[in-house]
Amino acid sequence: MKKVNTRYISEIKREKKKFSALTAYDYSTAKVLDEAGIDIILVGDSLAMVALGYENTNSISMDEMKIFTKAVAKGVSRAMVVCDMPFMSYHCDISSAIANIGEAVKAGANAVKIEGSGEYIYSLIKRCSEFGIPVIAHIGFTPQAINAIGGHYIQGKTYNATLELLEQAKKLEEAGAFAIVLEMVPEESAKYISENLNIATISCGAGRFCDGQVLVSDDVFGKYSNFKPKFARRYGDMRKLIYDCATQY
Ligand code: KIV
């Protein structure tokens, strides 16, 4: 069984196939997702809300992310494990960002995900590429900027906004990102962006035309009940299953 790597993701893009990505935060869930053939397992900072009960994703620390990344990496043999770099772990300066990204890799991540665009982010990604650390970029709705955005709003709604996202995506590609998450972007905009990039796009509420899709597994399995994104299709009712098992017990 071959481990999923950046080359595999590029091949999928070239051959116009699709890949799957889901979040996991613990050893046993990661093991099942890996056995089920999920290609990328993201230790998303969404774990702040769904696993730790925090109000938003910005409260989670690098030390916490490392613990969950270690647990997930232990459960996985085939999938690519991606650590979502938490808020303020990569913003202060390039050297502290690289030190934290290095910690994520030491914890077992095969790649990291960072949100945003702009000159600082492009140079950070460039440095990671020079050090052989694969990076997934993340644009569109970026949850770590929720306070500035002011809510869960769709991004790239107009033609000009789409062109702006495409320009950011091209710069992220040029800097060395091997894939880009497009979150809450209209399907047609995401299609246009995907068609004009050589690297893979990953839809998170950005429709069917990206090269892969990532969702929070607790949403897909019906386990997290505080909030349900409209774009996350439910494949089961795990909350009920756990409740029924617990009451029978
Ligand atoms: O934290 C997360 O789970 C994410 C998403 C893209 C699913 O960043």
Side-chain angles (χ1 to χ4, degrees), residues 23 25 42-47 57 84 113 115 138 143 181 183 204 214-216:
T23 63
Y25 318 115
L42 173 69
V43 187
D45 61 1
S46 49
L47 85 84
T57 58
D84 205 3
K113 177 170 84 60
E115 290 184 13
H138 182 158
V181 170
E183 181 160 354
C204 183
V214 65
L215 288 173
V216 171

PDB file of all heavy atoms in Angstrom, residues 23 25 42-47 57 84 113 115 138 143 181 183 204 214-216, ligand 1:
ATOM      1  N   THR A  23     -11.469  15.430   8.195  1.00  0.00           N
ATOM      2  CA  THR A  23     -10.718  15.713   9.413  1.00  0.00           C
ATOM      3  C   THR A  23     -10.755  14.504  10.346  1.00  0.00           C
ATOM      4  O   THR A  23     -11.700  13.699  10.307  1.00  0.00           O
ATOM      5  CB  THR A  23     -11.318  16.909  10.188  1.00  0.00           C
ATOM      6  OG1 THR A  23     -12.638  16.568  10.604  1.00  0.00           O
ATOM      7  CG2 THR A  23     -11.342  18.170   9.353  1.00  0.00           C
ATOM      8  N   TYR A  25      -9.212  13.717  14.631  1.00  0.00           N
ATOM      9  CA  TYR A  25      -8.474  14.327  15.739  1.00  0.00           C
ATOM     10  C   TYR A  25      -7.921  13.282  16.700  1.00  0.00           C
ATOM     11  O   TYR A  25      -7.216  13.617  17.629  1.00  0.00           O
ATOM     12  CB  TYR A  25      -9.398  15.290  16.510  1.00  0.00           C
ATOM     13  CG  TYR A  25     -10.262  16.141  15.598  1.00  0.00           C
ATOM     14  CD1 TYR A  25     -11.651  16.023  15.592  1.00  0.00           C
ATOM     15  CD2 TYR A  25      -9.669  17.047  14.716  1.00  0.00           C
ATOM     16  CE1 TYR A  25     -12.435  16.788  14.737  1.00  0.00           C
ATOM     17  CE2 TYR A  25     -10.441  17.810  13.856  1.00  0.00           C
ATOM     18  CZ  TYR A  25     -11.819  17.679  13.868  1.00  0.00           C
ATOM     19  OH  TYR A  25     -12.577  18.432  13.013  1.00  0.00           O
ATOM     20  N   LEU A  42      -6.954  15.477   7.673  1.00  0.00           N
ATOM     21  CA  LEU A  42      -6.585  16.797   8.180  1.00  0.00           C
ATOM     22  C   LEU A  42      -6.857  16.871   9.675  1.00  0.00           C
ATOM     23  O   LEU A  42      -7.987  16.641  10.119  1.00  0.00           O
ATOM     24  CB  LEU A  42      -7.415  17.875   7.449  1.00  0.00           C
ATOM     25  CG  LEU A  42      -7.283  19.297   7.978  1.00  0.00           C
ATOM     26  CD1 LEU A  42      -5.893  19.876   7.690  1.00  0.00           C
ATOM     27  CD2 LEU A  42      -8.357  20.207   7.364  1.00  0.00           C
ATOM     28  N   VAL A  43      -5.805  17.169  10.430  1.00  0.00           N
ATOM     29  CA  VAL A  43      -6.007  17.465  11.850  1.00  0.00           C
ATOM     30  C   VAL A  43      -6.370  18.945  11.860  1.00  0.00           C
ATOM     31  O   VAL A  43      -5.508  19.828  11.967  1.00  0.00           O
ATOM     32  CB  VAL A  43      -4.736  17.166  12.670  1.00  0.00           C
ATOM     33  CG1 VAL A  43      -5.021  17.313  14.161  1.00  0.00           C
ATOM     34  CG2 VAL A  43      -4.179  15.789  12.353  1.00  0.00           C
ATOM     35  N   GLY A  44      -7.653  19.203  11.617  1.00  0.00           N
ATOM     36  CA  GLY A  44      -8.119  20.583  11.435  1.00  0.00           C
ATOM     37  C   GLY A  44      -8.159  21.315  12.768  1.00  0.00           C
ATOM     38  O   GLY A  44      -8.406  20.703  13.814  1.00  0.00           O
ATOM     39  N   ASP A  45      -7.988  22.638  12.710  1.00  0.00           N
ATOM     40  CA  ASP A  45      -8.134  23.401  13.959  1.00  0.00           C
ATOM     41  C   ASP A  45      -9.608  23.458  14.371  1.00  0.00           C
ATOM     42  O   ASP A  45      -9.945  23.934  15.452  1.00  0.00           O
ATOM     43  CB  ASP A  45      -7.475  24.787  13.881  1.00  0.00           C
ATOM     44  CG  ASP A  45      -8.067  25.680  12.801  1.00  0.00           C
ATOM     45  OD1 ASP A  45      -9.006  25.250  12.099  1.00  0.00           O
ATOM     46  OD2 ASP A  45      -7.588  26.831  12.669  1.00  0.00           O
ATOM     47  N   SER A  46     -10.486  22.918  13.496  1.00  0.00           N
ATOM     48  CA  SER A  46     -11.897  22.740  13.874  1.00  0.00           C
ATOM     49  C   SER A  46     -12.006  21.876  15.131  1.00  0.00           C
ATOM     50  O   SER A  46     -13.032  21.876  15.811  1.00  0.00           O
ATOM     51  CB  SER A  46     -12.676  22.078  12.730  1.00  0.00           C
ATOM     52  OG  SER A  46     -11.999  20.932  12.264  1.00  0.00           O
ATOM     53  N   LEU A  47     -10.955  21.147  15.441  1.00  0.00           N
ATOM     54  CA  LEU A  47     -10.978  20.313  16.654  1.00  0.00           C
ATOM     55  C   LEU A  47     -11.193  21.169  17.887  1.00  0.00           C
ATOM     56  O   LEU A  47     -11.729  20.698  18.898  1.00  0.00           O
ATOM     57  CB  LEU A  47      -9.711  19.449  16.742  1.00  0.00           C
ATOM     58  CG  LEU A  47      -8.402  19.947  17.337  1.00  0.00           C
ATOM     59  CD1 LEU A  47      -8.371  19.821  18.841  1.00  0.00           C
ATOM     60  CD2 LEU A  47      -7.260  19.142  16.749  1.00  0.00           C
ATOM     61  N   THR A  57     -12.229  28.620  16.447  1.00  0.00           N
ATOM     62  CA  THR A  57     -10.975  27.881  16.236  1.00  0.00           C
ATOM     63  C   THR A  57      -9.737  28.650  16.725  1.00  0.00           C
ATOM     64  O   THR A  57      -8.654  28.083  16.797  1.00  0.00           O
ATOM     65  CB  THR A  57     -10.791  27.554  14.737  1.00  0.00           C
ATOM     66  OG1 THR A  57     -10.790  28.773  13.995  1.00  0.00           O
ATOM     67  CG2 THR A  57     -11.896  26.654  14.221  1.00  0.00           C
ATOM     68  N   ASP A  84      -3.187  21.340  10.574  1.00  0.00           N
ATOM     69  CA  ASP A  84      -3.693  22.694  10.333  1.00  0.00           C
ATOM     70  C   ASP A  84      -2.953  23.609  11.304  1.00  0.00           C
ATOM     71  O   ASP A  84      -3.101  23.469  12.529  1.00  0.00           O
ATOM     72  CB  ASP A  84      -5.198  22.669  10.681  1.00  0.00           C
ATOM     73  CG  ASP A  84      -5.976  23.733   9.970  1.00  0.00           C
ATOM     74  OD1 ASP A  84      -5.392  24.459   9.165  1.00  0.00           O
ATOM     75  OD2 ASP A  84      -7.200  23.800  10.220  1.00  0.00           O
ATOM     76  N   LYS A 113      -1.210  22.888   6.724  1.00  0.00           N
ATOM     77  CA  LYS A 113      -2.138  23.784   6.027  1.00  0.00           C
ATOM     78  C   LYS A 113      -2.064  25.159   6.691  1.00  0.00           C
ATOM     79  O   LYS A 113      -2.076  25.237   7.928  1.00  0.00           O
ATOM     80  CB  LYS A 113      -3.571  23.250   6.094  1.00  0.00           C
ATOM     81  CG  LYS A 113      -4.573  24.195   5.427  1.00  0.00           C
ATOM     82  CD  LYS A 113      -5.938  23.558   5.269  1.00  0.00           C
ATOM     83  CE  LYS A 113      -6.829  23.648   6.488  1.00  0.00           C
ATOM     84  NZ  LYS A 113      -7.136  25.009   6.943  1.00  0.00           N
ATOM     85  N   GLU A 115      -3.632  29.278   6.432  1.00  0.00           N
ATOM     86  CA  GLU A 115      -4.683  30.130   5.855  1.00  0.00           C
ATOM     87  C   GLU A 115      -4.111  31.454   5.372  1.00  0.00           C
ATOM     88  O   GLU A 115      -3.171  31.984   5.960  1.00  0.00           O
ATOM     89  CB  GLU A 115      -5.753  30.434   6.924  1.00  0.00           C
ATOM     90  CG  GLU A 115      -6.590  29.248   7.302  1.00  0.00           C
ATOM     91  CD  GLU A 115      -7.711  29.609   8.285  1.00  0.00           C
ATOM     92  OE1 GLU A 115      -8.001  30.810   8.488  1.00  0.00           O
ATOM     93  OE2 GLU A 115      -8.310  28.669   8.841  1.00  0.00           O
ATOM     94  N   HIS A 138      -4.955  27.931   1.927  1.00  0.00           N
ATOM     95  CA  HIS A 138      -6.396  27.973   2.251  1.00  0.00           C
ATOM     96  C   HIS A 138      -6.883  29.404   2.046  1.00  0.00           C
ATOM     97  O   HIS A 138      -6.471  30.313   2.777  1.00  0.00           O
ATOM     98  CB  HIS A 138      -6.563  27.510   3.710  1.00  0.00           C
ATOM     99  CG  HIS A 138      -7.982  27.444   4.192  1.00  0.00           C
ATOM    100  ND1 HIS A 138      -8.365  26.666   5.263  1.00  0.00           N
ATOM    101  CD2 HIS A 138      -9.121  28.066   3.786  1.00  0.00           C
ATOM    102  CE1 HIS A 138      -9.658  26.809   5.482  1.00  0.00           C
ATOM    103  NE2 HIS A 138     -10.138  27.660   4.603  1.00  0.00           N
ATOM    104  N   PRO A 143     -11.457  30.789   8.357  1.00  0.00           N
ATOM    105  CA  PRO A 143     -12.062  30.900   9.690  1.00  0.00           C
ATOM    106  C   PRO A 143     -11.215  31.641  10.723  1.00  0.00           C
ATOM    107  O   PRO A 143     -11.761  32.273  11.625  1.00  0.00           O
ATOM    108  CB  PRO A 143     -12.266  29.431  10.109  1.00  0.00           C
ATOM    109  CG  PRO A 143     -12.285  28.663   8.835  1.00  0.00           C
ATOM    110  CD  PRO A 143     -11.420  29.401   7.871  1.00  0.00           C
ATOM    111  N   VAL A 181      -7.082  24.864  -0.450  1.00  0.00           N
ATOM    112  CA  VAL A 181      -8.473  24.743  -0.004  1.00  0.00           C
ATOM    113  C   VAL A 181      -9.208  26.017  -0.423  1.00  0.00           C
ATOM    114  O   VAL A 181      -8.729  27.125  -0.185  1.00  0.00           O
ATOM    115  CB  VAL A 181      -8.566  24.568   1.532  1.00  0.00           C
ATOM    116  CG1 VAL A 181     -10.011  24.684   2.011  1.00  0.00           C
ATOM    117  CG2 VAL A 181      -7.973  23.237   1.979  1.00  0.00           C
ATOM    118  N   GLU A 183     -12.598  27.685   0.476  1.00  0.00           N
ATOM    119  CA  GLU A 183     -13.718  27.525   1.413  1.00  0.00           C
ATOM    120  C   GLU A 183     -14.806  28.556   1.132  1.00  0.00           C
ATOM    121  O   GLU A 183     -14.533  29.760   0.999  1.00  0.00           O
ATOM    122  CB  GLU A 183     -13.232  27.645   2.872  1.00  0.00           C
ATOM    123  CG  GLU A 183     -14.375  27.448   3.870  1.00  0.00           C
ATOM    124  CD  GLU A 183     -13.945  27.083   5.281  1.00  0.00           C
ATOM    125  OE1 GLU A 183     -12.747  26.850   5.516  1.00  0.00           O
ATOM    126  OE2 GLU A 183     -14.841  27.037   6.151  1.00  0.00           O
ATOM    127  N   CYS A 204     -14.198  23.148   0.134  1.00  0.00           N
ATOM    128  CA  CYS A 204     -14.852  23.065   1.442  1.00  0.00           C
ATOM    129  C   CYS A 204     -16.041  24.016   1.299  1.00  0.00           C
ATOM    130  O   CYS A 204     -15.901  25.225   1.482  1.00  0.00           O
ATOM    131  CB  CYS A 204     -13.887  23.511   2.542  1.00  0.00           C
ATOM    132  SG  CYS A 204     -14.592  23.357   4.188  1.00  0.00           S
ATOM    133  N   VAL A 214     -12.790  18.534   1.189  1.00  0.00           N
ATOM    134  CA  VAL A 214     -12.512  18.305   2.606  1.00  0.00           C
ATOM    135  C   VAL A 214     -13.706  18.780   3.424  1.00  0.00           C
ATOM    136  O   VAL A 214     -14.301  19.815   3.133  1.00  0.00           O
ATOM    137  CB  VAL A 214     -11.210  19.017   3.081  1.00  0.00           C
ATOM    138  CG1 VAL A 214     -11.299  20.534   3.008  1.00  0.00           C
ATOM    139  CG2 VAL A 214     -10.826  18.588   4.494  1.00  0.00           C
ATOM    140  N   LEU A 215     -14.086  17.971   4.406  1.00  0.00           N
ATOM    141  CA  LEU A 215     -15.153  18.368   5.320  1.00  0.00           C
ATOM    142  C   LEU A 215     -14.766  17.943   6.730  1.00  0.00           C
ATOM    143  O   LEU A 215     -13.875  17.085   6.916  1.00  0.00           O
ATOM    144  CB  LEU A 215     -16.482  17.713   4.919  1.00  0.00           C
ATOM    145  CG  LEU A 215     -17.161  18.258   3.639  1.00  0.00           C
ATOM    146  CD1 LEU A 215     -18.367  17.408   3.273  1.00  0.00           C
ATOM    147  CD2 LEU A 215     -17.580  19.727   3.783  1.00  0.00           C
ATOM    148  N   VAL A 216     -15.442  18.518   7.698  1.00  0.00           N
ATOM    149  CA  VAL A 216     -15.232  18.136   9.091  1.00  0.00           C
ATOM    150  C   VAL A 216     -15.971  16.813   9.313  1.00  0.00           C
ATOM    151  O   VAL A 216     -17.182  16.723   9.081  1.00  0.00           O
ATOM    152  CB  VAL A 216     -15.767  19.248  10.030  1.00  0.00           C
ATOM    153  CG1 VAL A 216     -15.772  18.797  11.477  1.00  0.00           C
ATOM    154  CG2 VAL A 216     -14.935  20.518   9.864  1.00  0.00           C
TER     155      VAL A 216
HETATM  156  O1  KIV B   1     -10.180  23.073  10.544  1.00  0.00           O
HETATM  157  C1  KIV B   1     -10.743  22.486   9.613  1.00  0.00           C
HETATM  158  O2  KIV B   1     -11.388  21.473   9.829  1.00  0.00           O
HETATM  159  C2  KIV B   1     -10.600  23.056   8.267  1.00  0.00           C
HETATM  160  C3  KIV B   1     -11.496  22.713   7.136  1.00  0.00           C
HETATM  161  C4  KIV B   1     -10.939  23.082   5.805  1.00  0.00           C
HETATM  162  C5  KIV B   1     -12.267  21.497   7.093  1.00  0.00           C
HETATM  163  O3  KIV B   1      -9.735  23.854   8.085  1.00  0.00           O
END
